[in-house]
Amino acid sequence: MNVKKIERNIFKHCGLLTFGLGLLISALLFIPVILQNSGLFMYYGDFNVQEIPFYQMIHDHVREGMMGWSHTTDLGSATMASYSFYLIGSPFFWMTIPFPSEAVPYLMGPLFMLKFACASITSYFYLKRYVRNRLFATAGGLLYAFSGFSIYNIFFFHFHEPMIVFPLLLLAVDRFMYDNKKGALAPAVFSACVINYYFFVGMAVFTAMYWLMLVFTNRYKITLGKILLFFFEIVIGFCATAFLIIPTVLFLMGNPRLAVLPDGYSAIVHEFPQRYWYIVVSLFFPPEMPAQLNFTPDAEAKWSSVSAWLCLGGMTGVIGYLQLRKRDWIKKLLVLCAVIAFIPVLNSVFQLLNSSIYYARWFYMPVLIMSLATVRALEEKRVEWNRAIGWSAGITAGVALITGLMPTTVYGDDNEAKSTVLGAVQYFDRYWIYVATALVSILLFAVIVKTFPAGTKKLAFMTIAGICVITLLSSTYIVETGNSLDAEETPLISECIINHKDAKKLDNIQNVRSDFYDMPDNTGMFWGIPSIRTFHSVVSTSIMRFYDSALGIERSTVSEPDTDHYGLRGLFSCRYLFAAQHSDFEKNDKPAMPGWKFKTSFDGVDVYENEHHIPMGFMFDKFISKSELGKIENIYRSEALLQAMVLSKRDLVRFSDITGYTEETLKEMKDDPKGFKSKTDDFTYGREEYFKNCEALRKNACKSFEFTKNSFKAELDNKGGDNLLFFSVPYDKGWSAYVNGKEAEIIEADYGFMAVRVPGKTVSKIEFKYNIYGFDIGIIISVCCGIIFLMYIAILILLGRRKRGI
């Protein structure tokens, strides 16, 4: 066997080696879990109840031509805009389209393996410019792809696409600035933005920092012409995303989660001191479970992606490099990142200054630079490894001892001290496993760098081997822990929910809404049926406005009206309710909400039917203003909404022939609010009144209703006079309405739903059609940018040929 020849071939094909190792390591991580779950990769939390149903449901929407409006996303939301954050721009999602719906949940594991492999090779392409031996770029690529940030975010399936494209964005910048290679930057910007607009904001900020750092350290040589072309490519690449970005931005406007800006001292210092400790811990220890913080249980940073651990040596390689270089762009950039991480307002820059919640979802970017610093240090003979290892091991051991042995008082439910224990941690056994893993990682790194000469192929090979060993050691434990955390819910999802469509056999299930009790989140999405319970962060702002303004309930990431608001089941036209058989929905033959009757059971699920179900599309005989509703106690508002339609004062007057409100009525309401006799003064509440209101609305409801592709249609026999027909479908500017074939005005009702005027004494056919709001202008801009870019490339080719004399 010719060893040197093998080494030469490996060196020649380092890219394939990097991709292959990334695929192999991820396969060894994921396949055991897949086998445990009969072919499904199951994790816990968001992965199980968001990522899987989102993929399957939108896969089905695409195949059915429903890219406009999704009736099965909460009460309804724009498909493209709601899912551009999650999957619409992901090439991995589009890989599922040729497969049947039933196969999609089983593709999640293999797609994850492919994502890790792709992150390995894209980071390799970036890193190889900065190393002498490409094998060290392979090592750096694996460090990045299997970093703590990456493993932490297995919880979030859609976070890995940005990790894949980010190194390509920096590579495109380098090629433009170092090599004068034009034409790649615009596609890189386009890809980064389309894949995930939220992460693109962070990438844009970091790339600007990166570019400025290399300019000011004289790494990049600039001229005016070069700068102009550089920004031209950035602008044309970004503008080409208009087909997706414009509808998304228009859809997101008004979302309360985006409205919180840095304020006061909270912009300067973190409100929770443990966050500072958490940031330090994230550099030296394996990632924690996103929903179960261990080192810092009171950091208020669950799901915040605070992890930047490098699996081999932790911070040892970075410390070695920082001690070696006094004035180096890598060192300055990492120091800048550290400062930003500790100052809330600077941290929030990576999400457009949104401070509604603390996130560190940009940490993968400094992780790439940390990987670069580590492999650069491995090539340098002048690194004082004893010093670097001492600092790294010392900090790791110090944090471990301080946190793990700190006396902590345990309090009881009565807030009285019960006992004192050692360790200020949440999960004692898991904590010491993390500590042991971090120390073993440093020890193995120390053995490798002290045994093999700097910069040699042997050192590179052993570093790669060490990365593989520690990744499998640490990440297997994390992945298995994540798989076991939802021990009760996971079997229900895999055995009774995924690809079990028994619910669809119920009468008219697709054209009514359903409720769920003590069931996994988004079960309705798994089954592809309209539901009032949804765990989804990016839904129509009309839904959020309704919960907040009409009910006084904050709707952040979940729509989950409790049983006290039973009136919403009537307003939302809920006909069925699914309850896990182990639940307490029915106690002593009495359901948790009035009017529900047991119907049937299947696969561990009990089905109840609403005896007072109101079909979609109904008319009221009373109307009130928003201010009148606001005077009713929150607990009664869901029932009040069944007694009158809520309109703006302007619309109450515009439709005075129906509502009975005039300018004089509004003036009286304003001038003498206490003396004004409101219809709400006569509202009564309770079980019997609820039944009575439901029956009244049933008599004035559509005799037929059907959700269709990107639209819905109904037929109403209006035996009374002209009236406003209410639909509990979220108001959106993309909707257009037609009554008996003629376009009709859509009126916003109940703080976020739609109504339309219908004639009296007439059988009317009503149809609502949805066109993606902003898509038309977006596609025109995108096409124009595409044409301009092609012309730009053609000019570059012609100029290149002229220079070569062709």
Side-chain angles (χ1 to χ4, degrees), residues 115-130 137 140-142 144-145 159-175 184-185 188-189 192 195 203 206-207 210 220 364-365 367-369 371:
K115 288 186 183 184
F116 275 91
C118 288
S120 301
I121 194 168
T122 58
S123 53
Y124 163 83
F125 287 141
Y126 167 72
L127 294 169
K128 71 177 184 178
R129 170 184 292 278
Y130 294 101
L142 295 176
Y144 173 74
F159 280 24
H160 292 75
E161 283 91 331
M163 287 193 70
I164 294 168
V165 75
F166 173 64
L168 297 179
L169 182 59
L170 294 191
L171 176 62
V173 172
D174 278 353
R175 284 177 59 82
L185 183 57
V189 170
I195 277 177
M203 282 189 242
F206 191 91
T207 303
Y210 177 84
Y220 286 160
Y364 66 97
M365 294 181 264
V367 163
L368 180 62
I369 307 303
S371 301

Side-chain angles (χ1 to χ4, degrees), residues 183 218 333 542 595:
N218 296 318
L333 188 56
S542 293

Side-chain angles (χ1 to χ4, degrees), residues 69-176:
W69 189 262
S70 171
H71 302 298
T72 50
T73 298
D74 209 299
L75 301 174
S77 281
T79 304
M80 181 183 289
S82 287
Y83 293 92
S84 55
F85 172 66
Y86 292 99
L87 51 81
I88 289 295
S90 170
F92 298 92
F93 165 73
W94 292 97
M95 290 180 189
T96 69
I97 299 304
F99 294 88
S101 175
E102 291 73 17
V104 174
Y106 295 90
L107 295 174
M108 303 297 280
L111 287 176
F112 236 148
M113 299 176 207
L114 185 58
K115 288 186 183 184
F116 275 91
C118 288
S120 301
I121 194 168
T122 58
S123 53
Y124 163 83
F125 287 141
Y126 167 72
L127 294 169
K128 71 177 184 178
R129 170 184 292 278
Y130 294 101
V131 295
R132 294 186 290 272
N133 185 330
R134 291 184 181 181
L135 285 171
F136 285 106
T138 295
L142 295 176
L143 281 175
Y144 173 74
F146 294 94
S147 63
F149 185 92
S150 187
I151 299 300
Y152 177 109
N153 286 300
I154 288 174
F155 191 82
F156 300 110
F157 188 70
H158 58 292
F159 280 24
H160 292 75
E161 283 91 331
M163 287 193 70
I164 294 168
V165 75
F166 173 64
L168 297 179
L169 182 59
L170 294 191
L171 176 62
V173 172
D174 278 353
R175 284 177 59 82
F176 191 101

